[in-house]
Each structure stands twice: as structure tokens, then as C-alpha cells.
């Protein structure tokens, strides 16, 4: 699998990955509209944000978003926040998610991060087992406020 930064041409494939999921099917769409165009442009323009895709045989089969966060706590620790990790449903269980996450962790270390963090919906029990196998610890209770 080739792991690379996404381009605007990858947006339809990324959206397809987001809806190829029980939760995403209800909250996302495969239609590339103005909101998705704006969000991709914002990510693309932000030097602290990356939209990553995994490609195999010319097809986008995985994606994730990484945002690098500066902070004062933990003696000025930089953090990498990983979101929206997806692997095409037909391709799960082949180690592709691990390849994406290994890439993200290595990239975070290269950027000087001392912590990699993520959130995962409470219903994603399989994903939680996957992250624990990678060494992640469920150390915090996450909270969100929808505006």
C-alpha cells in the first residue's frame, strides 16, 4: 500500500470510505458538495493538518486525518490527533489499518510529537481492540458538544 497525502482528486474516494461504515452512513454523504470542498481546502491549507490516503493498485482503500497540536501541558508536548481512520470494508483484516497507523505514529515522532491520541465512538468495539493491540490506552473519557 502506498501511503500519501490526499489531493482534491481523492475527495470522492475519501467520502466513499466515510460512508462505508455504520456511523458514517448516517452522518456523511458521497456527494461532493460545498461543505466538503471547503473542509478539504481548509485541511490542505493548514500546515498542522494532513489528510492521508492509502492507495493500492490505483484505488484509495484507506484514509485518516492527522492534526498536530501544540500545547503547554506535559512540558510543552506536541500531540498528534488522529481522526476518521477508515479502511474499505472489503479490505479490512488484511493489516492495512495497521500500516496506516504505523505510518501516522512514525510521522508524528518525526514531527516532534510525544503523544498520539485519538477518539473512537463507544460503539466501535472492534476498533477499540485494534487500537489497544497497537499500544493505545483508554486513559481518558472523551466528550463532545455538537454545535
Amino acid at each position: 500500500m502506498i501511503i500519501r497525502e490526499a489531493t482534491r482528486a481523492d475527495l470522492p474516494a475519501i467520502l466513499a470510505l466515510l460512508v462505508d461504515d455504520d456511523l458514517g452512513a448516517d452522518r456523511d454523504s458521497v456527494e461532493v458538495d460545498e461543505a466538503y470542498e471547503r473542509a478539504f481546502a481548509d485541511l490542505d491549507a493548514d500546515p498542522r493538518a494532513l489528510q492521508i490516503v492509502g492507495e493500492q493498485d490505483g484505488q484509495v482503500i484507506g484514509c485518516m486525518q492527522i492534526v498536530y497540536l501544540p500545547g503547554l501541558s506535559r512540558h510543552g508536548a506536541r500531540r498528534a490527533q488522529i481522526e476518521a481512520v477508515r479502511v474499505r470494508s472489503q479490505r479490512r483484516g488484511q493489516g492495512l489499518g495497521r500500516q496506516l497507523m504505523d505510518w501516522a505514529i512514525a510521522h508524528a515522532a518525526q514531527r516532534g510529537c510525544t503523544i498520539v491520541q485519538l477518539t473512537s465512538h463507544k460503539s466501535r468495539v472492534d476498533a477499540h481492540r485494534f487500537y489497544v493491540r497497537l499500544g493505545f490506552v483508554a486513559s481518558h473519557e472523551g466528550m463532545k458538544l455538537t454545535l
Side-chain angles (χ1 to χ4, degrees):
M1 177 170 59
I2 297 168
I3 299 172
R4 61 174 175 78
E5 287 189 51
T7 67
R8 165 55 189 84
D10 296 315
L11 187 53
I14 294 167
L15 297 181
L17 286 166
L18 294 179
V19 300
D20 183 26
D21 171 280
D22 289 340
L23 294 175
D26 290 334
R27 61 184 179 202
D28 282 301
S29 168
V30 295
E31 180 185 340
V32 178
D33 61 15
E34 186 178 318
Y36 286 126
E37 293 278 7
R38 183 179 58 252
F40 187 88
D42 286 348
L43 285 167
D44 197 40
D46 189 335
R48 289 192 174 140
L50 294 174
Q51 180 66 50
I52 301 299
V53 293
E55 181 183 317
Q56 204 166 50
D57 301 323
Q59 300 288 315
V60 172
I61 58 169
C63 68
M64 68 182 156
Q65 177 182 311
I66 309 170
V67 178
Y68 297 98
L69 306 168
L72 291 174
S73 66
R74 295 181 181 248
H75 203 242
R78 290 183 183 136
R79 299 168 190 250
Q81 175 78 25
I82 300 175
E83 295 287 339
V85 179
R86 300 288 192 281
V87 171
R88 187 177 292 171
S89 58
Q90 308 94 302
R91 303 298 303 272
R92 292 180 191 146
Q94 299 174 14
L96 302 172
R98 175 175 279 281
Q99 288 179 48
L100 285 169
M101 291 299 295
D102 286 347
W103 185 95
I105 292 165
H107 198 267
Q110 290 170 359
R111 299 243 340 211
C113 295
T114 58
I115 299 170
V116 176
Q117 60 191 30
L118 54 84
T119 61
S120 180
H121 194 274
K122 289 184 178 193
S123 67
R124 296 185 188 278
V125 178
D126 290 340
H128 301 164
R129 284 193 293 267
F130 168 70
Y131 294 127
V132 167
R133 283 194 310 270
L134 292 175
F136 285 82
V137 176
S139 61
H140 291 68
E141 183 74 22
M143 298 184 186
K144 295 183 179 188
L145 174 66
T146 302
L147 303 178

